[in-house]
Amino acid sequence: MASHRRPKPAGRARVSILTAAAATAVALSAQTGAHADPAPTKDQVKQQVDTLNEQAEVKTEEFNAATEREQGLQKQVSQIQDQVARQQAQVSGIQGTLGEIAAEQYRTGGIPQTVQLMLSASPDSFLNQAGAMNQVGSSQADVLKAFKDEQGKLDQQKSEAEQKLAELDATTKRLKADKEEILGKLAKAQSLLDSLTQKERDDLAAAEAKSAADAKAKATAAQGPERASRDSARTDVVVNAPAGSHAAAAIAAATSKLGSPYSYGAAGPSAFDCSGLMKWAYAQAGVSLPRTSQDQAGAGTSIGTNVANAQPGDLIIYYGDQHHVGMYIGNGQIIHAPRTGVPVRYESATAMPISKIVRP
């Protein structure tokens, strides 16, 4: 007798398997989400941004050094090219004289070897041939010797120009790479800041403003109660530097730029990086400083690392690699161009690790 059992619905087993797989996937997804790295906190973002800004400043000082090197090489190349042009004219003039002598000898039936000597591409080797000098007059030999000497100078100058041009090309490429790296770090820092909420960004800005206000209050307090009670909006802080001194003039110039924006590679008059502000301020006082903070560390008398021994106008160099610099103004304060997004302002002289104090 045939079986009349009802057949199972088609695909039931497959549906069960797919349902189980979907449930497993959902569970795994939830588990993965539970273990995902949490978004960085405001403080963590600030720390990362500060690190990126410091790295950018390190590259900025390298950029400044390379820029200065490039400018120096450009001057050297220009000078050498001028020398080559003058030397070429000198050689061409002597060649013309040799050509006239050779032509005259040819017309008057002169010795063929003399003509060869005058027109030789290598006068030096020809002159070394036995008896060659006996075949020309002393005046002609003098002209040949002059030609040989001047041609040697020209060849040397051309070789030097080629070397400097190659060095300039390498420096220019390094500048481009440094600039791209700096911009990359700054863009990453900005991206981190953009990831914060508006309130978190406002809190960070308020903290920066409070830090600047506290530093300004300490700098102003150095002048006594009367000075400290004046309008807090004023930014002209008078310091105890000898009147008429280079230090006093440099401090006056630097403080006149309070609030000016930071810009990498900038040395005034409207924007600055850290070493650019020092160079510009001291230039207003008639003192020439090197361009980078590392070179500025050697531009004067070393005072050690104790702020207690610093005088207004001294340069305080920071960090082990000396990539930051500020100007001491007294009362434990400096004025400096901190970093991208933070304008020229006052700061505690010990807010960063001191590498060296220098008196220009």
PDB file of all heavy atoms in Angstrom, residues 59-76:
ATOM      1  N   LYS A  59      59.788  69.781  12.333  1.00  0.00           N
ATOM      2  CA  LYS A  59      59.981  69.830  10.885  1.00  0.00           C
ATOM      3  C   LYS A  59      60.057  71.263  10.376  1.00  0.00           C
ATOM      4  O   LYS A  59      60.739  71.540   9.389  1.00  0.00           O
ATOM      5  CB  LYS A  59      58.839  69.088  10.180  1.00  0.00           C
ATOM      6  CG  LYS A  59      58.774  67.604  10.442  1.00  0.00           C
ATOM      7  CD  LYS A  59      60.058  66.898  10.079  1.00  0.00           C
ATOM      8  CE  LYS A  59      60.421  66.990   8.627  1.00  0.00           C
ATOM      9  NZ  LYS A  59      61.629  66.225   8.279  1.00  0.00           N
ATOM     10  N   THR A  60      59.364  72.173  11.064  1.00  0.00           N
ATOM     11  CA  THR A  60      59.408  73.579  10.652  1.00  0.00           C
ATOM     12  C   THR A  60      60.812  74.139  10.780  1.00  0.00           C
ATOM     13  O   THR A  60      61.299  74.861   9.896  1.00  0.00           O
ATOM     14  CB  THR A  60      58.427  74.418  11.497  1.00  0.00           C
ATOM     15  OG1 THR A  60      57.090  74.013  11.212  1.00  0.00           O
ATOM     16  CG2 THR A  60      58.567  75.904  11.185  1.00  0.00           C
ATOM     17  N   GLU A  61      61.496  73.821  11.887  1.00  0.00           N
ATOM     18  CA  GLU A  61      62.868  74.313  12.057  1.00  0.00           C
ATOM     19  C   GLU A  61      63.801  73.672  11.037  1.00  0.00           C
ATOM     20  O   GLU A  61      64.722  74.321  10.535  1.00  0.00           O
ATOM     21  CB  GLU A  61      63.348  74.054  13.487  1.00  0.00           C
ATOM     22  CG  GLU A  61      62.674  74.939  14.531  1.00  0.00           C
ATOM     23  CD  GLU A  61      62.796  76.423  14.201  1.00  0.00           C
ATOM     24  OE1 GLU A  61      63.903  76.974  14.304  1.00  0.00           O
ATOM     25  OE2 GLU A  61      61.783  77.039  13.830  1.00  0.00           O
ATOM     26  N   GLU A  62      63.548  72.408  10.692  1.00  0.00           N
ATOM     27  CA  GLU A  62      64.321  71.773   9.621  1.00  0.00           C
ATOM     28  C   GLU A  62      64.026  72.468   8.291  1.00  0.00           C
ATOM     29  O   GLU A  62      64.926  72.687   7.475  1.00  0.00           O
ATOM     30  CB  GLU A  62      63.969  70.288   9.531  1.00  0.00           C
ATOM     31  CG  GLU A  62      64.421  69.468  10.737  1.00  0.00           C
ATOM     32  CD  GLU A  62      64.024  68.008  10.627  1.00  0.00           C
ATOM     33  OE1 GLU A  62      63.548  67.595   9.543  1.00  0.00           O
ATOM     34  OE2 GLU A  62      64.187  67.268  11.622  1.00  0.00           O
ATOM     35  N   PHE A  63      62.767  72.812   8.099  1.00  0.00           N
ATOM     36  CA  PHE A  63      62.353  73.536   6.891  1.00  0.00           C
ATOM     37  C   PHE A  63      63.055  74.892   6.824  1.00  0.00           C
ATOM     38  O   PHE A  63      63.544  75.304   5.765  1.00  0.00           O
ATOM     39  CB  PHE A  63      60.834  73.712   6.920  1.00  0.00           C
ATOM     40  CG  PHE A  63      60.274  74.507   5.767  1.00  0.00           C
ATOM     41  CD1 PHE A  63      59.940  73.893   4.580  1.00  0.00           C
ATOM     42  CD2 PHE A  63      60.066  75.881   5.882  1.00  0.00           C
ATOM     43  CE1 PHE A  63      59.408  74.624   3.520  1.00  0.00           C
ATOM     44  CE2 PHE A  63      59.544  76.618   4.836  1.00  0.00           C
ATOM     45  CZ  PHE A  63      59.214  75.984   3.644  1.00  0.00           C
ATOM     46  N   ASN A  64      63.113  75.582   7.960  1.00  0.00           N
ATOM     47  CA  ASN A  64      63.777  76.889   7.995  1.00  0.00           C
ATOM     48  C   ASN A  64      65.258  76.767   7.641  1.00  0.00           C
ATOM     49  O   ASN A  64      65.811  77.592   6.909  1.00  0.00           O
ATOM     50  CB  ASN A  64      63.631  77.512   9.387  1.00  0.00           C
ATOM     51  CG  ASN A  64      62.212  77.935   9.687  1.00  0.00           C
ATOM     52  OD1 ASN A  64      61.420  78.176   8.783  1.00  0.00           O
ATOM     53  ND2 ASN A  64      61.872  78.026  10.962  1.00  0.00           N
ATOM     54  N   ALA A  65      65.912  75.727   8.184  1.00  0.00           N
ATOM     55  CA  ALA A  65      67.332  75.517   7.900  1.00  0.00           C
ATOM     56  C   ALA A  65      67.541  75.219   6.420  1.00  0.00           C
ATOM     57  O   ALA A  65      68.479  75.741   5.791  1.00  0.00           O
ATOM     58  CB  ALA A  65      67.874  74.375   8.759  1.00  0.00           C
ATOM     59  N   ALA A  66      66.655  74.386   5.854  1.00  0.00           N
ATOM     60  CA  ALA A  66      66.772  74.055   4.440  1.00  0.00           C
ATOM     61  C   ALA A  66      66.494  75.272   3.555  1.00  0.00           C
ATOM     62  O   ALA A  66      67.146  75.465   2.528  1.00  0.00           O
ATOM     63  CB  ALA A  66      65.811  72.917   4.083  1.00  0.00           C
ATOM     64  N   THR A  67      65.539  76.092   3.977  1.00  0.00           N
ATOM     65  CA  THR A  67      65.235  77.319   3.225  1.00  0.00           C
ATOM     66  C   THR A  67      66.436  78.254   3.216  1.00  0.00           C
ATOM     67  O   THR A  67      66.790  78.832   2.172  1.00  0.00           O
ATOM     68  CB  THR A  67      64.027  78.042   3.841  1.00  0.00           C
ATOM     69  OG1 THR A  67      62.877  77.188   3.804  1.00  0.00           O
ATOM     70  CG2 THR A  67      63.713  79.322   3.074  1.00  0.00           C
ATOM     71  N   GLU A  68      67.056  78.397   4.374  1.00  0.00           N
ATOM     72  CA  GLU A  68      68.234  79.263   4.469  1.00  0.00           C
ATOM     73  C   GLU A  68      69.366  78.714   3.603  1.00  0.00           C
ATOM     74  O   GLU A  68      70.082  79.458   2.936  1.00  0.00           O
ATOM     75  CB  GLU A  68      68.686  79.369   5.924  1.00  0.00           C
ATOM     76  CG  GLU A  68      69.686  80.482   6.180  1.00  0.00           C
ATOM     77  CD  GLU A  68      69.897  80.723   7.671  1.00  0.00           C
ATOM     78  OE1 GLU A  68      70.159  79.724   8.384  1.00  0.00           O
ATOM     79  OE2 GLU A  68      69.808  81.874   8.127  1.00  0.00           O
ATOM     80  N   ARG A  69      69.508  77.385   3.627  1.00  0.00           N
ATOM     81  CA  ARG A  69      70.523  76.734   2.804  1.00  0.00           C
ATOM     82  C   ARG A  69      70.241  76.966   1.324  1.00  0.00           C
ATOM     83  O   ARG A  69      71.152  77.258   0.548  1.00  0.00           O
ATOM     84  CB  ARG A  69      70.536  75.233   3.110  1.00  0.00           C
ATOM     85  CG  ARG A  69      71.506  74.411   2.267  1.00  0.00           C
ATOM     86  CD  ARG A  69      72.939  74.762   2.571  1.00  0.00           C
ATOM     87  NE  ARG A  69      73.857  73.932   1.827  1.00  0.00           N
ATOM     88  CZ  ARG A  69      75.122  74.242   1.622  1.00  0.00           C
ATOM     89  NH1 ARG A  69      75.618  75.369   2.124  1.00  0.00           N
ATOM     90  NH2 ARG A  69      75.913  73.449   0.946  1.00  0.00           N
ATOM     91  N   GLU A  70      68.979  76.843   0.944  1.00  0.00           N
ATOM     92  CA  GLU A  70      68.601  77.047  -0.450  1.00  0.00           C
ATOM     93  C   GLU A  70      68.914  78.472  -0.895  1.00  0.00           C
ATOM     94  O   GLU A  70      69.462  78.697  -1.985  1.00  0.00           O
ATOM     95  CB  GLU A  70      67.112  76.761  -0.639  1.00  0.00           C
ATOM     96  CG  GLU A  70      66.657  76.926  -2.085  1.00  0.00           C
ATOM     97  CD  GLU A  70      65.148  76.868  -2.225  1.00  0.00           C
ATOM     98  OE1 GLU A  70      64.457  77.518  -1.413  1.00  0.00           O
ATOM     99  OE2 GLU A  70      64.664  76.190  -3.143  1.00  0.00           O
ATOM    100  N   GLN A  71      68.588  79.440  -0.050  1.00  0.00           N
ATOM    101  CA  GLN A  71      68.848  80.838  -0.392  1.00  0.00           C
ATOM    102  C   GLN A  71      70.345  81.094  -0.546  1.00  0.00           C
ATOM    103  O   GLN A  71      70.777  81.809  -1.453  1.00  0.00           O
ATOM    104  CB  GLN A  71      68.251  81.744   0.684  1.00  0.00           C
ATOM    105  CG  GLN A  71      66.731  81.723   0.711  1.00  0.00           C
ATOM    106  CD  GLN A  71      66.146  82.438   1.923  1.00  0.00           C
ATOM    107  OE1 GLN A  71      66.856  82.774   2.873  1.00  0.00           O
ATOM    108  NE2 GLN A  71      64.847  82.664   1.913  1.00  0.00           N
ATOM    109  N   GLY A  72      71.136  80.491   0.348  1.00  0.00           N
ATOM    110  CA  GLY A  72      72.586  80.641   0.255  1.00  0.00           C
ATOM    111  C   GLY A  72      73.136  80.010  -1.012  1.00  0.00           C
ATOM    112  O   GLY A  72      74.004  80.586  -1.681  1.00  0.00           O
ATOM    113  N   LEU A  73      72.616  78.834  -1.362  1.00  0.00           N
ATOM    114  CA  LEU A  73      73.069  78.159  -2.580  1.00  0.00           C
ATOM    115  C   LEU A  73      72.685  78.943  -3.826  1.00  0.00           C
ATOM    116  O   LEU A  73      73.446  79.005  -4.797  1.00  0.00           O
ATOM    117  CB  LEU A  73      72.470  76.753  -2.641  1.00  0.00           C
ATOM    118  CG  LEU A  73      73.098  75.714  -1.706  1.00  0.00           C
ATOM    119  CD1 LEU A  73      72.262  74.435  -1.704  1.00  0.00           C
ATOM    120  CD2 LEU A  73      74.528  75.405  -2.122  1.00  0.00           C
ATOM    121  N   GLN A  74      71.484  79.538  -3.802  1.00  0.00           N
ATOM    122  CA  GLN A  74      71.062  80.342  -4.949  1.00  0.00           C
ATOM    123  C   GLN A  74      72.016  81.507  -5.185  1.00  0.00           C
ATOM    124  O   GLN A  74      72.369  81.817  -6.326  1.00  0.00           O
ATOM    125  CB  GLN A  74      69.639  80.844  -4.733  1.00  0.00           C
ATOM    126  CG  GLN A  74      68.577  79.760  -4.879  1.00  0.00           C
ATOM    127  CD  GLN A  74      67.191  80.247  -4.506  1.00  0.00           C
ATOM    128  OE1 GLN A  74      67.037  81.208  -3.758  1.00  0.00           O
ATOM    129  NE2 GLN A  74      66.166  79.578  -5.021  1.00  0.00           N
ATOM    130  N   LYS A  75      72.440  82.142  -4.102  1.00  0.00           N
ATOM    131  CA  LYS A  75      73.402  83.247  -4.226  1.00  0.00           C
ATOM    132  C   LYS A  75      74.740  82.743  -4.767  1.00  0.00           C
ATOM    133  O   LYS A  75      75.354  83.361  -5.637  1.00  0.00           O
ATOM    134  CB  LYS A  75      73.596  83.923  -2.874  1.00  0.00           C
ATOM    135  CG  LYS A  75      72.391  84.708  -2.379  1.00  0.00           C
ATOM    136  CD  LYS A  75      72.670  85.345  -1.026  1.00  0.00           C
ATOM    137  CE  LYS A  75      71.458  86.112  -0.511  1.00  0.00           C
ATOM    138  NZ  LYS A  75      71.699  86.712   0.822  1.00  0.00           N
ATOM    139  N   GLN A  76      75.184  81.608  -4.218  1.00  0.00           N
ATOM    140  CA  GLN A  76      76.467  81.050  -4.665  1.00  0.00           C
ATOM    141  C   GLN A  76      76.419  80.665  -6.141  1.00  0.00           C
ATOM    142  O   GLN A  76      77.361  80.944  -6.890  1.00  0.00           O
ATOM    143  CB  GLN A  76      76.828  79.830  -3.813  1.00  0.00           C
ATOM    144  CG  GLN A  76      77.166  80.154  -2.369  1.00  0.00           C
ATOM    145  CD  GLN A  76      77.459  78.891  -1.573  1.00  0.00           C
ATOM    146  OE1 GLN A  76      78.046  77.945  -2.075  1.00  0.00           O
ATOM    147  NE2 GLN A  76      77.046  78.882  -0.317  1.00  0.00           N
TER     148      GLN A  76
END
